[in-house]
């Protein structure tokens, strides 16, 4: 299935009926198959198959583009059978890349604003004009030491290092990601245990998997993980899914546990307590494996630090630690879990049975879900990993790996150092422990800190629509003194791009270069995204030039754009910036993509040798296969003996250990204690902002769960796919039948959902697939645009009126989706009108005081729509959202820490400014 230095490609993936599912690589240059559209005539088509990578979610699945040799155009996308992560499979969004390439509404030429920002008037410009104007502004900010006024804000990176290196080369601490509306919380929980901030479940040998996620339908590394979960289930793995909502994943599980949102850590800690009690009674699995792996814990948990801090006068022995452990968690009873989580009291015993039966072959996953919804959600990740620590299922086959083992991260040979300043708009001192930037707070931080951005790049990033409190983003973008120039780098229109000054069309997945790797299993690989038609031209012996020559219109790939912009910023090299993007072989010339990615390919372990065996250069190998399986470093790497660093164990040996200050798994976190969170220094349970005790159900109050995806859509990026939008274009409010009766709601009727800062009007879906007391609404639809042909895909967005009355914004739908004339006859067949409601606008920012994560779940009041309410209405008061921001900020424990720094130095900061900037 995989292809790499040690492993030759196996025969292509077969269907269960022994039919070939994908052509083998040796036939990619000359693949022939019958044209299904010509049936019943048997007409043969000839293809050149070019591998690339999907850009629709973060999984980086391999795609194979079928270029029709007769037309020179891409006919379809299917899975790349030699990609080690996705193994030839895709989800629906992979093949739908074709819609995005052929989208008749995509932006094909660079545009610049005419009139006031946000009025919807743009005119075509040239790349040269855009480069000159933007380059001059960035240069001025650098020369005048206003580096903090340049920011690059990214939604979907789709690459592993390029812009981080670029910002470092420019000397600008300006890389802002979307992480704290996504995964900051789970990352925090994992990082405090082991330094690694992402999970990599090994389903291959697991006997029991516990998912706090919906991985069989959406979720992190969805397709690569879903296929491995299903394979494991086929060979007998048991599966439990903790999800308030009956997801497709839950429907495949042996146990579906519908917890009250935010109570999950309690359930996990009750299982921990039960494990400890059963172990004390001598209970074992079927092969005599004890419930608790004492030897693993004795070796790898920082129990001595815990006892020193929390058991003064105690014996200081491991046995004493186990006693204290039992005492610490005695309060998390099965009865308590039943009450707190609103589940049956048997759940704790049932899941503990599964864990013990698994005998250490236990894996789990949590990424968004419970972690991303709740105050203290990071403790859900910490409590989940606690179960792995207790069972010793860390770094073992069928267990849980730190992500860094399973992700390859090749880089160019030369990397610039970190910037010489610390940007408080990214890492403000109020959130010293955050993972990562406080990106969703940007408007509030600009107003609070009385700062401005002179050049603000948004790249595949749509904060007006994706983030909470989008109305504050609109206000910020409408203030010329706050945002000097907004450059939207995007393949398609978005709500945010409506407020751009420059709209620059960037290549889609099959129109650009990137190197990517993800931790999809116990193995590691790199995938290579390449511009398909450029590679096709190269195969034909044509000198294709840059990607604008082969992409539609004047669409450019981002990497080439950044190189060109860097040369505008530093044309003569005097700033010392240009040299990072200068050709080594052709001094005085910009680096080409072949040179840039050829350098990286040469640095991938094992790739040069594998390529040489086929008579190829390393980059030629990636261009040919689209992926490479990097020789795997194996599991249990913490046990590797080292000469320095790492952890010194009880037996006196020095081992590689984990990336924490003690080198061990930090059950007790001295960092949390020292930075003001002593009460949270152990895995613990924090009551959510939507705890059921905080709701008065008799007054219509409910918990709104807004965090789930639709399997066929992906945030901003899938709006321009006609196939996907035909399948999914609504986001009704899930309401339990008991609640529908109590609240007077009817199926398909209109409902008003009031948050702390406004309300929205949705349709009702009465279903038993949701916990009573909780309502749910997906965030994947509800797109809108202010102008008929500018601002959004007509088949996926509503045309709206947007009005301000003082601080209050009202959005009302003027016209839904529907058919329209274009070069594509399918656009006349658009039969759907309602395209959902934009609920995120009505959410205040709720940044967790530790992780910085947006706590997405909302306390809402649900009622039948009032007279005059219309479907899709959104009303929001930005003054109230400012109050919410201040209220949540008051929960923080600001820096400096005990050593006078802004942030513990051992915690990751993706772009790390020089050491001198860390002190306050
Ligand atoms: S899982 Fe993600 S990367 Fe893979 S095919 Fe689907 S959208 Fe593309």
């Amino acid at each position: 299935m995989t292809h790499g230095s040690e492993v030759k490609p196996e025969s292509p993936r077969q269907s269960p009926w022994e039919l070939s599912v994908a052509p083998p690589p040796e036939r990619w240059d000359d693949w022939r198959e019958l044209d299904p559209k010509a049936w019943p005539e048997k007409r043969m088509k000839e293809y050149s198959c070019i591998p690339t990578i999907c850009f629709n979610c973060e999984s980086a699945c391999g795609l194979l583009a079928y270029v029709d040799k007769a037309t020179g155009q891409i006919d379809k996308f299917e899975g790349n059978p030699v990609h080690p992560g996705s193994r030839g499979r895709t989800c629906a969004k992979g093949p739908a890349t074709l819609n995005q390439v052929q989208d008749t509404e995509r932006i094909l030429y660079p545009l610049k604003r005419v009139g006031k920002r946000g009025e919807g008037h743009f005119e075509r410009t040239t790349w040269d004009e855009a480069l000159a104007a933007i380059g001059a502004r960035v240069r001025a900010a650098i020369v005048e030491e206003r580096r903090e006024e340049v920011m690059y804000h990214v939604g979907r990176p789709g690459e592993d290092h390029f812009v981080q290196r670029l910002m470092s080369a420019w000397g600008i601490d300006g890389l802002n990601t979307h992480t704290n509306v996504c995964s900051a919380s789970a990352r925090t929980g994992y990082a405090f245990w082991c330094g690694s901030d992402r999970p990599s479940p090994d389903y291959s040998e697991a006997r029991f998997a516990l998912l706090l996620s919906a991985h069989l339908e959406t979720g992190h590394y969805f397709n690569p993980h879903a296929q491995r979960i299903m394979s494991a289930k086929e060979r007998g793995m048991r599966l439990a899914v903790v999800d308030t909502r009956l997801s497709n994943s839950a429907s495949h599980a042996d146990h579906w546990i519908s917890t009250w949102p935010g109570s999950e850590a309690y359930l996990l800690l009750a299982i921990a307590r039960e494990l400890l009690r059963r172990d004390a009674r001598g209970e074992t699995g079927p092969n005599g494996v004890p419930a608790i792996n004492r030897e693993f814990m004795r070796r790898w948990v920082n129990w001595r630090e815990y006892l020193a801090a929390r058991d003064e006068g105690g014996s200081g022995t491991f046995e004493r630690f186990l006693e204290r452990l039992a005492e610490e968690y005695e309060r998390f009873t099965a009865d308590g879990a039943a009450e707190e989580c609103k589940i049956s009291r048997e759940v704790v015993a049932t899941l503990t049975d599964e864990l013990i039966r698994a005998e250490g072959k236990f894996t789990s996953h949590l990424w968004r879900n419970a972690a991303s919804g709740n105050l203290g959600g990071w403790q859900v990740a910490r409590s989940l990993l606690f179960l792995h620590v207790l069972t010793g299922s860390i770094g073992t086959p069928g267990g849980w790996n730190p992500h860094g083992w399973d992700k390859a991260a090749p880089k160019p040979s030369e990397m610039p150092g970190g910037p010489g300043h610390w940007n408080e708009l990214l890492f403000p001192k109020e959130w010293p422990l955050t993972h990562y930037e406080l990106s969703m707070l940007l408007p509030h931080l600009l107003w609070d800190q009385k700062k401005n951005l002179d050049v603000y790049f948004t790249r595949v990033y749509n904060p007006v629509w994706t983030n909470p409190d989008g109305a504050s983003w609109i206000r910020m973008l409408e203030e010329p003194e706050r945002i000097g120039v907004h450059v939207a780098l995007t393949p398609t229109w978005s709500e945010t791009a409506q407020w751009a000054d420059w709209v620059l069309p960037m290549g889609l997945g099959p129109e650009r270069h990137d190197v990517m790797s993800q931790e999809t299993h116990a193995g590691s690989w790199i995938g290579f995204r390449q511009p398909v038609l450029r590679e096709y031209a190269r195969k034909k012996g044509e000198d294709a030039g840059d990607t604008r020559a082969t992409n539609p219109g004047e669409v450019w790939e981002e990497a080439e754009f950044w190189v060109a912009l860097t040369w505008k910023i530093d044309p003569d090299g005097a700033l010392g910036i240009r040299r990072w993007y200068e050709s080594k072989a052709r001094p005085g010339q910009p680096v080409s993509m072949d040179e840039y990615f050829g350098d990286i390919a040469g640095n991938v372990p094992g790739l040069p040798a594998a390529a040489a065996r086929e008579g190829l250069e390393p980059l030629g190998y990636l261009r040919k296969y689209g992926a490479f399986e990097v020789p795997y470093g194996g599991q249990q790497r913490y046990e590797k003996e080292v000469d320095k660093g790492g952890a010194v164990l009880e037996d006196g040996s020095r081992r590689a250990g984990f990336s924490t200050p003690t080198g061990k798994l930090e059950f007790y976190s001295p960092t949390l204690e020292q930075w003001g969170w002593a009460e949270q220094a152990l895995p613990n349970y924090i009551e959510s902002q939507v705890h059921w005790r905080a709701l008065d159900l008799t007054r219509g109050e409910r918990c709104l769960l807004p965090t789930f995806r639709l399997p066929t859509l992906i945030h901003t990026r899938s709006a321009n796919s006609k196939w996907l939008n035909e399948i999914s274009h609504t986001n009704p409010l899930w309401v339990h039948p008991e609640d529908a009766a109590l609240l007077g709601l009817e199926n398909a009727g209109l409902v008003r959902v009031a948050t702390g800062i406004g309300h929205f009007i949705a349709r009702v879906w009465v279903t038993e697939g949701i916990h009573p007391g909780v309502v749910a609404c997906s965030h994947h639809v509800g797109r809108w645009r202010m102008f008929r042909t500018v601002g959004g895909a007509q088949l996926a967005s509503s045309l709206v009126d947007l009005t301000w009355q003082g601080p209050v914004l009202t959005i009302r739908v003027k016209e839904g989706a529907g058919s329209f004339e274009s070069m594509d006859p399918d656009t006349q067949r658009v039969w759907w009108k309602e395209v959902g409601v934009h609920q995120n606008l009505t959410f205040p920012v709720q940044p967790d005081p530790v992780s910085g994560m947006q706590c997405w779940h909302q306390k809402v009041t649900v009622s039948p729509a009032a007279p005059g309410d219309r479907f899709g209405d959104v009303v929001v008061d930005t003054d109230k959202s400012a109050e919410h921001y201040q209220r949540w900020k008051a929960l923080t424990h600001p820096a400096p820490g005990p050593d006078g720094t802004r942030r513990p130095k051992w915690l990751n900061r993706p772009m790390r400014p020089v050491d001198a900037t860390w002190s306050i």
Side-chain angles (χ1 to χ4, degrees):
M1 237 45 97
T2 55
H3 189 59
S5 58
E6 310 304 323
V7 187
K8 291 298 291 177
E10 295 176 17
S11 60
R13 190 165 69 85
Q14 301 287 309
S15 75
W17 306 278
E18 302 295 312
L19 296 172
S20 174
V21 175
E26 60 272 19
R27 297 183 58 192
W28 286 357
D29 283 344
D30 194 17
W31 179 246
R32 304 174 82 230
E33 65 182 31
L34 290 171
D35 179 359
K37 289 185 184 157
W39 187 88
E41 184 192 341
K42 290 191 174 170
R43 191 164 66 207
M44 202 57 83
K45 285 194 107 171
E46 294 186 5
Y47 289 111
S48 177
C49 298
I50 314 267
T52 189
I53 297 179
C54 181
F55 191 58
N56 274 333
C57 86
E58 67 279 35
S59 307
C61 296
L63 293 180
L64 207 52
Y66 288 64
V67 181
D68 183 339
K69 290 185 177 178
T71 64
Q73 296 301 309
I74 301 169
D75 242 19
K76 62 177 178 176
F77 290 93
E78 294 185 350
N80 176 355
V82 298
H83 186 291
S86 54
R87 306 186 294 190
R89 298 159 168 94
T90 68
C91 76
K93 301 185 285 291
T97 300
L98 186 67
N99 295 165
Q100 296 163 311
V101 170
Q102 297 176 344
D103 171 25
T104 56
E105 296 184 87
R106 64 181 293 189
I107 303 162
L108 293 176
Y109 302 97
L111 302 173
K112 72 174 177 185
R113 169 174 62 83
V114 182
K116 273 178 66 178
R117 190 185 292 159
E119 284 184 341
H121 300 299
F122 294 87
E123 66 180 17
R124 185 171 164 183
T125 183
T126 63
W127 280 107
D128 282 347
E129 186 185 355
L131 286 170
I134 299 163
R137 276 188 104 119
V138 176
R139 178 183 170 86
I142 292 171
V143 171
E144 295 163 17
E145 288 299 336
R146 295 182 286 108
R147 292 168 197 253
E148 236 181 59
E149 295 182 10
V150 178
M151 184 178 287
Y152 168 86
H153 211 153
V154 62
R156 170 58 44 221
E159 49 94 5
D160 276 340
H161 76 279
F162 194 96
V163 179
Q164 191 170 326
R165 182 178 187 271
L166 178 90
M167 287 286 131
S168 297
W170 290 5
I172 287 176
D173 187 20
L175 173 60
N176 211 347
T177 69
H178 69 281
T179 311
N180 81 339
V181 295
C182 173
S183 58
S185 188
R187 287 174 186 267
T188 302
Y190 288 124
F192 279 118
W193 262 114
C194 63
S196 183
D197 68 1
R198 302 215 292 271
S200 181
D202 177 9
Y203 298 107
S204 64
E205 294 184 27
R207 291 188 202 147
F208 176 52
L210 178 58
L211 304 182
L212 280 78
S213 63
H215 266 88
L216 292 176
E217 60 184 294
T218 60
H220 205 224
Y221 309 151
F222 155 44
N223 163 49
H225 275 182
Q227 59 180 266
R228 288 174 171 86
I229 294 170
M230 292 313 288
S231 298
K233 271 177 66 68
E234 281 171 13
R235 57 152 185 75
M237 183 188 79
R238 306 271 295 169
L239 177 66
V241 170
V242 176
D243 196 333
T244 306
R245 194 177 58 90
L246 179 59
S247 61
N248 291 344
S249 307
S251 71
H252 283 271
D254 298 289
H255 309 284
W256 170 41
I257 299 108
S258 176
T259 44
W260 186 271
S263 66
E264 294 81 1
Y266 196 109
L267 170 62
L268 298 167
L269 295 176
I271 296 169
R273 170 188 182 265
E274 184 68 10
L275 269 176
L276 289 161
R277 288 161 68 89
R278 302 247 197 126
D279 183 69
R281 294 203 300 261
E283 195 169 319
T284 67
N287 298 303
V289 175
I292 299 290
N293 189 332
R294 291 169 180 239
E295 189 48 29
F296 178 82
M297 291 179 65
R298 186 196 301 273
R299 272 176 92 71
W300 285 112
V301 171
N302 71 334
W303 53 271
R304 284 198 183 280
E305 281 76 18
Y306 163 75
L307 290 177
R310 299 283 171 100
D311 194 43
E312 198 179 337
S315 64
T317 63
F318 182 68
E319 286 64 34
R320 174 62 184 157
F321 170 63
L322 290 180
E323 277 173 29
R324 289 288 298 128
L325 208 50
E327 289 165 16
E328 291 276 10
Y329 293 98
E330 186 52 31
R331 66 199 158 102
F332 292 98
T333 63
D335 285 333
E339 185 188 0
E340 200 69 15
C341 310
K342 299 289 182 197
I343 55 176
S344 109
R345 84 173 298 283
E346 285 72 42
V347 169
V348 171
T350 302
L351 295 185
T352 309
D353 288 345
E354 295 282 11
L355 265 176
I356 294 174
R357 272 201 296 269
E359 297 191 316
K361 303 274 188 186
F362 159 55
T363 195
S364 72
H365 203 180
L366 164 69
W367 191 235
R368 301 179 181 108
N369 192 281
S372 64
N374 303 290
L375 177 69
W378 58 279
Q379 281 284 21
V380 182
R382 201 141 151 72
S383 301
L384 181 59
L385 201 51
F386 188 25
L387 298 181
H388 288 284
V389 173
L390 288 169
T391 53
S393 48
I394 292 189
T396 51
W400 182 102
N401 289 349
H403 80 281
W405 297 0
D406 300 343
K407 179 181 168 81
K411 302 231 168 24
S413 300
E414 292 182 346
M415 293 292 283
H421 67 114
W422 181 290
N423 191 340
E424 287 230 1
L425 293 171
L426 306 179
F427 285 84
K429 59 180 181 305
E430 287 83 2
W431 284 269
L433 305 180
T434 181
H435 269 64
Y436 287 8
E437 309 83 16
L438 265 298
S439 63
M440 65 164 179
L441 298 184
L442 184 62
H444 298 285
L445 295 174
L446 282 168
W447 293 323
D448 236 14
Q449 297 178 19
K450 300 187 173 39
K451 289 182 179 166
N452 69 292
L453 294 175
D454 191 48
V455 185
Y456 180 50
F457 295 97
T458 53
R459 185 283 192 149
V460 196
Y461 185 53
N462 187 8
V464 168
W465 184 76
T466 306
N467 283 5
D469 191 20
S472 290
W473 284 80
I474 296 172
R475 275 187 52 197
M476 175 192 84
L477 290 167
E478 288 190 343
E479 292 178 3
E481 70 282 11
R482 201 66 60 193
I483 303 292
V485 63
H486 171 206
V487 184
L489 309 172
T490 176
T492 59
W493 282 107
S494 71
E495 285 77 355
T496 303
Q498 295 174 112
W499 282 274
D501 302 295
W502 299 89
V503 179
L504 303 182
M506 292 289 140
L508 293 158
E511 298 165 351
R512 52 184 291 148
H513 288 94
D514 297 302
V515 179
M516 285 191 74
S517 173
Q518 303 293 17
E519 56 277 11
T520 56
H521 61 288
S524 71
W525 51 268
I526 62 163
F528 187 55
R529 185 176 287 125
Q530 62 179 334
V532 166
L533 294 183
R534 183 178 178 278
E535 177 59 5
Y536 179 62
R538 194 192 61 78
K539 277 176 184 277
K540 288 197 301 177
E542 296 168 6
D543 177 11
D546 73 33
T547 45
R548 286 173 294 183
T550 48
N551 283 342
E554 290 182 13
V555 170
W556 207 357
E557 77 159 289
E558 203 175 316
E560 286 175 339
F561 164 76
W562 288 123
V563 173
L565 187 63
T566 300
W567 277 66
K568 289 288 181 197
I569 293 168
D570 187 16
D572 56 6
L575 297 179
I577 294 172
R578 197 188 84 174
R579 73 181 182 91
W580 297 104
Y581 297 95
E582 191 165 341
S583 168
K584 290 259 185 291
R586 298 170 293 112
Q589 295 293 314
V591 69
S592 71
M593 291 300 100
D594 278 355
E595 289 167 329
Y596 187 88
F597 287 98
D599 175 35
I600 295 172
N603 295 333
V604 178
L607 177 52
R613 283 197 288 277
E614 298 201 22
L616 295 169
E617 293 295 318
L619 182 64
Y621 187 102
L622 291 180
R623 290 210 184 280
K624 180 175 180 183
Y625 294 110
F628 174 70
E629 184 169 40
V630 178
Y632 190 48
Q635 295 178 285
Q636 286 188 313
R637 288 184 216 175
Y638 45 82
E639 287 285 5
K640 186 172 176 235
E641 289 203 66
V642 292
D643 295 330
K644 57 182 182 183
V648 177
L649 303 189
E650 296 293 298
D651 61 10
S653 65
R654 186 179 284 276
R655 308 278 172 157
F658 297 88
S659 306
T660 56
T662 58
K664 294 191 176 176
L665 292 162
E666 296 203 336
F667 164 72
Y668 161 71
S669 169
T671 305
L672 281 162
E673 172 124 15
Q674 291 158 9
W675 287 71
W677 296 97
E679 73 282 10
Q680 302 301 338
L682 309 184
N684 195 16
Y685 166 58
I686 298 172
E687 282 193 9
S688 165
Q689 78 281 5
V690 290
H691 192 284
W692 49 266
R693 279 191 210 100
L695 304 181
D696 184 346
L697 298 180
T698 65
R699 298 180 57 196
E701 291 179 354
R702 295 292 184 276
C703 163
L704 171 64
L705 190 154
T707 42
F708 64 98
R709 290 174 166 183
L710 298 174
T712 40
L713 294 180
I714 188 79
H715 307 299
T716 280
R717 294 184 298 292
S718 54
N720 60 337
S721 165
K722 60 187 179 188
W723 296 339
L724 299 177
N725 280 273
E726 181 167 22
I727 298 168
S728 308
H729 47 259
T730 59
N731 61 344
L733 189 76
W734 297 33
V735 184
H736 192 274
E738 290 171 14
D739 284 327
L742 285 169
L743 297 166
L745 299 175
E746 288 182 5
N747 196 44
L750 292 183
V751 58
R752 179 187 275 228
V753 183
T755 67
I757 61 170
H759 71 260
F760 64 91
I761 308 298
R763 289 213 182 273
V764 173
W765 181 40
V766 179
T767 171
E768 291 187 343
I770 189 73
H771 202 299
V774 181
V775 293
C777 187
S778 172
H779 59 272
H780 264 177
V781 285
R783 305 298 305 274
W784 52 269
R785 65 192 195 283
M786 295 188 290
F787 315 102
R788 183 158 300 280
T789 57
V790 167
Q794 294 183 66
L795 59 82
S797 63
S798 302
L799 191 63
V800 300
D801 268 334
L802 188 146
T803 50
W804 286 96
Q805 277 188 311
V808 177
L809 173 71
T810 300
I811 290 185
R812 172 153 278 191
V813 175
K814 282 197 295 197
E815 211 177 279
S819 62
F820 62 97
E821 297 268 344
S822 79
M823 300 287 285
D824 178 359
D826 276 351
T827 62
Q828 293 180 29
R829 302 185 182 109
V830 175
W831 51 266
W832 55 94
K833 298 275 183 215
E834 289 186 355
V835 287
V837 57
H838 182 197
Q839 58 175 338
N840 288 12
L841 260 179
T842 67
F843 300 164
V845 291
Q846 302 186 150
D848 183 273
V850 174
S851 69
M853 176 82 207
Q854 164 71 0
C855 302
W856 279 104
H857 295 344
Q858 301 291 317
K859 178 180 173 180
V860 294
T861 303
V862 181
S863 60
D869 282 349
R870 280 204 230 148
F871 175 77
D873 280 357
V874 174
V875 177
V876 58
D877 183 336
T878 52
D879 277 357
K880 286 186 182 167
S881 66
E883 287 165 22
H884 270 261
Y885 161 67
Q886 294 296 345
R887 205 176 308 150
W888 281 74
K889 190 174 80 166
L891 301 177
T892 62
H893 297 171
D899 56 354
T901 56
R902 299 172 181 276
R903 176 178 178 79
K905 286 199 171 163
W906 73 272
L907 276 183
N908 189 26
R909 225 210 104 166
M911 212 175 91
R912 212 176 166 87
V914 297
D915 275 359
T917 65
W918 285 62
S919 298
I920 291 186

